[in-house]
Amino acid sequence: MANIITHMTGQQYHEGKFDKAILAVGSCENHGYHLPHGTDTLVSYRLAQRVADRVEGMLVLPPITVGMSAHYSHFLFNLSLEPETLIAVLKDVLRSTVKAGIQKIFIMNGHDGNIAPIEIASRAIKMEYPQVRIASLDAWWITAGQLLPPNTFEVWGGLGHAGEGETSIALALFPELVQMEHAKGVVPDLPPDVEIKWNFAELTNTGATGDPTKATAEKGQKMVNVLVEAVVNFIKEMDARGWDYSSSQAAIELGKLA
């Protein structure tokens, strides 16, 4: 709790000497019949906390608990921000963090509909404050599959909204909120090389894709371990480099940004 801003007094914050912050961005939407509506927020926030516990000087910001979820609206209960609203919220949170003196920010995203707004908001803040460093894990569900052995998951590479991978990580992080007896999903027939901009109701009638019945807490813990390790290693490496990722032929030098 010592690095969570909402739990701190002003004195504790000043004593903390924070130079980095991590922001979880989630959603409140249906996750089938077996996962809580706040799954995306719960996963991203708990991953963020685990990262911050291992990184010196990292502050955990309050999570953004509602995302851009209009494409899931056929399945109740669903809350959604317009993309422009989420962009504005993200910009305000990032801007406030920068104004508080923290210029290294990591975004832990938990929901597919947030990816584009995060990109737009981050680029805008970067142009407004060129010295700021912003990094993000846009799709942990993709990254985990890339980091784990290919035989970790049984169906569809563990993918899916409330599918094998997401249900597994929920079982690892908040098993008390999962009702596996209601787990069921659909593996959609989608092309491998082209991304279709689907409405979720076109893919499933259960509120879930993939096969959540194959989920286990053991698989989920493996996902947590590789994701946290990857982000922690990234941040520590960047700290060691002074967050200087500029090339030797950059048009703008670090410290002379304009």
Side-chain angles (χ1 to χ4, degrees), residues 163-240:
E164 182 182 358
E166 188 168 30
T167 301
S168 292
I169 205 169
L171 287 170
L173 293 173
F174 40 92
E176 71 282 2
L177 300 180
V178 180
Q179 296 185 325
M180 285 300 292
E181 67 271 23
H182 300 302
K184 53 183 175 180
V186 174
V187 178
D189 184 16
L190 294 171
D193 301 318
V194 176
E195 183 174 338
I196 295 176
K197 304 304 180 183
W198 38 257
N199 182 314
F200 198 55
E202 297 173 326
L203 306 183
T204 177
N205 61 352
T206 70
T209 51
D211 189 352
T213 68
K214 302 298 185 182
T216 67
E218 181 183 8
K219 294 174 187 174
Q221 191 57 55
K222 290 178 180 178
M223 298 173 78
V224 171
N225 292 345
V226 295
L227 289 167
V228 171
E229 192 71 20
V231 176
V232 168
N233 287 342
F234 163 77
I235 295 170
K236 288 183 176 180
E237 179 184 349
M238 294 304 292
D239 276 347

Side-chain angles (χ1 to χ4, degrees), residues 50-202:
R50 281 163 171 74
V51 169
D53 286 343
R54 292 181 51 189
V55 175
E56 184 177 355
M58 175 156 277
L59 184 71
V60 181
L61 301 177
I64 295 177
T65 59
V66 179
M68 203 299 285
S69 300
H71 48 310
Y72 291 93
S73 60
H74 285 82
F75 299 94
L76 299 178
F77 181 83
N78 186 77
L79 295 177
S80 182
L81 299 178
E82 289 294 323
E84 296 81 6
T85 304
L86 181 55
I87 290 167
V89 170
L90 286 163
K91 286 169 65 176
D92 283 348
V93 171
L94 294 171
R95 188 181 291 115
S96 297
T97 303
V98 174
K99 288 182 177 179
I102 294 178
Q103 299 188 347
K104 304 161 190 171
I105 304 169
F106 191 92
I107 300 172
M108 182 73 74
N109 179 43
H111 170 60
D112 63 346
N114 299 338
I115 295 173
I118 287 171
E119 172 72 12
I120 294 170
S122 298
R123 296 293 182 186
I125 292 299
K126 183 67 180 173
M127 295 306 296
E128 188 175 343
Y129 300 98
Q131 77 282 4
V132 169
R133 297 310 196 230
I134 302 174
S136 67
L137 184 62
D138 286 339
W140 62 259
W141 50 97
I142 300 292
T143 303
Q146 294 170 338
L147 294 173
L148 287 168
N151 61 350
T152 301
F153 302 107
E154 299 176 52
V155 177
W156 206 29
L159 294 175
H161 177 81
E164 182 182 358
E166 188 168 30
T167 301
S168 292
I169 205 169
L171 287 170
L173 293 173
F174 40 92
E176 71 282 2
L177 300 180
V178 180
Q179 296 185 325
M180 285 300 292
E181 67 271 23
H182 300 302
K184 53 183 175 180
V186 174
V187 178
D189 184 16
L190 294 171
D193 301 318
V194 176
E195 183 174 338
I196 295 176
K197 304 304 180 183
W198 38 257
N199 182 314
F200 198 55
E202 297 173 326

